[in-house]
Amino acid sequence: MYRFLLTPRWWGINVFVVLAIPFCLFMGTWQLGKFEERVDTHKEAEREPSPDERGTVPLEELLPVDKKTSGRPAEATGVYGEQFRVPDRSVKGERGDYVLTLLRTDGGKTLPVVRGWVAQGAPAPAPPAGEVTVTGWLQASENMGTDGVHTAGGLPAGQLGMISAASLVNLVPDDVYDAWITLTEADGSMGAVPAAVAEGNGLDMKAFQNLGYTGEWFVFAAFVLFMWFRLVRREAEAIRDRELGLEPESV
């Protein structure tokens, strides 16, 4: 009765099932592995001392920025230079601008420093003159997927849509660090800008997306197998009905 499984049409169906089920299982296992990796990273981060418990170290000792150094307190010495506003950024639920000032460090490279946050339209205080030593939370350069980044073009002069070396490379003559810091204590009357959590360093929405995708791929595998059994059963029943003469007459 099941010799129909060897027909060309069913060969195509069988090959699809044989390939689809392992593929779905592989993708589900891969997504589960990514979720477990994020859980392990979260547990490891919880065992690490909090940034407040760590001492301030020179900036160079924390570079390049990674999951372990992001958020660490860093110290740099230099002279403030050009200043920019980073518009449409939220702090404590209020919209405003980051005040970003470039610090030309003793090593000759330029470090973007977010000195604080001001309400939209409020004036940004000028940076201190002369050599200064700043302390702030180390942050990785932003990218197009970072929350709050202004992706549309046409910003006025003196504004930046994204805090990164790439966005500053054509605005300053010096080399720019592929990192930035936000001061632990904002200058003047500005509000402090809290440090952002490093991407992939905890049980964020991406971790639970991995878990959800795991379930979806396993469901797909089960669905393919279910549909194959259902099609086989219907074909076998149709053949049996024809053999018994139960097939309805065609009009």
Side-chain angles (χ1 to χ4, degrees):
M1 180 180 295
Y2 293 98
R3 293 180 61 185
F4 65 85
L5 292 173
L6 300 178
T7 61
R9 181 172 73 90
W10 274 93
W11 264 109
I13 295 175
N14 294 337
V15 169
F16 171 78
V17 171
V18 168
L19 295 177
I21 291 178
F23 176 76
C24 291
L25 294 177
F26 168 78
M27 291 301 297
T29 303
W30 181 77
Q31 290 286 353
L32 181 60
K34 296 296 290 184
F35 172 74
E36 291 175 342
E37 180 182 326
R38 291 180 182 274
V39 171
D40 292 339
T41 302
H42 176 68
K43 291 180 179 178
E44 182 180 347
E46 285 187 328
R47 289 193 293 266
E48 294 287 338
S50 67
D52 293 336
E53 297 172 340
R54 297 174 178 177
T56 302
V57 297
L59 173 69
E60 295 288 348
E61 295 183 16
L62 300 176
L63 298 177
V65 186
D66 56 23
K67 293 179 182 178
K68 292 186 177 180
T69 60
S70 180
R72 292 278 303 274
E75 183 180 79
T77 300
V79 178
Y80 278 127
E82 193 169 0
Q83 184 160 282
F84 299 89
R85 295 177 76 114
V86 186
D88 203 25
R89 295 301 178 102
S90 178
V91 173
K92 296 181 179 179
E94 297 185 17
R95 308 299 291 185
D97 303 337
Y98 289 171
V99 177
L100 183 146
T101 311
L102 301 181
L103 181 75
R104 193 173 192 279
T105 64
D106 292 343
K109 295 185 70 174
T110 295
L111 174 67
V113 177
V114 172
R115 297 173 44 237
W117 174 94
V118 295
Q120 291 180 341
E131 187 174 81
V132 295
T133 297
V134 297
T135 300
W137 311 121
L138 182 64
Q139 302 283 269
S141 289
E142 296 181 337
N143 54 58
M144 297 298 289
T146 304
D147 185 34
V149 164
H150 195 288
T151 56
L155 287 175
Q159 293 191 10
L160 287 176
M162 178 169 59
I163 307 173
S164 70
S167 63
L168 289 164
V169 66
N170 295 323
L171 300 179
V172 294
D174 304 321
D175 291 336
V176 180
Y177 282 105
D178 189 19
W180 56 284
I181 66 171
T182 173
L183 296 186
T184 54
E185 296 183 5
D187 282 346
S189 60
M190 294 185 290
V193 175
V197 178
E199 293 185 4
N201 195 18
L203 295 179
D204 53 12
M205 283 301 298
K206 290 184 179 180
F208 291 103
Q209 284 179 350
N210 291 137
L211 187 60
Y213 293 150
T214 298
E216 287 181 0
W217 282 113
F218 289 152
V219 168
F220 290 158
F223 179 75
V224 170
L225 188 60
F226 167 76
M227 289 302 298
W228 183 83
F229 275 113
R230 185 176 180 183
L231 289 174
V232 168
R233 182 179 177 183
R234 288 180 61 183
E235 187 80 6
E237 289 176 348
I239 292 174
R240 184 190 61 190
D241 289 346
R242 285 195 295 269
E243 291 175 348
L244 295 175
L246 301 177
E247 187 176 58
E249 295 182 2
S250 58
V251 180

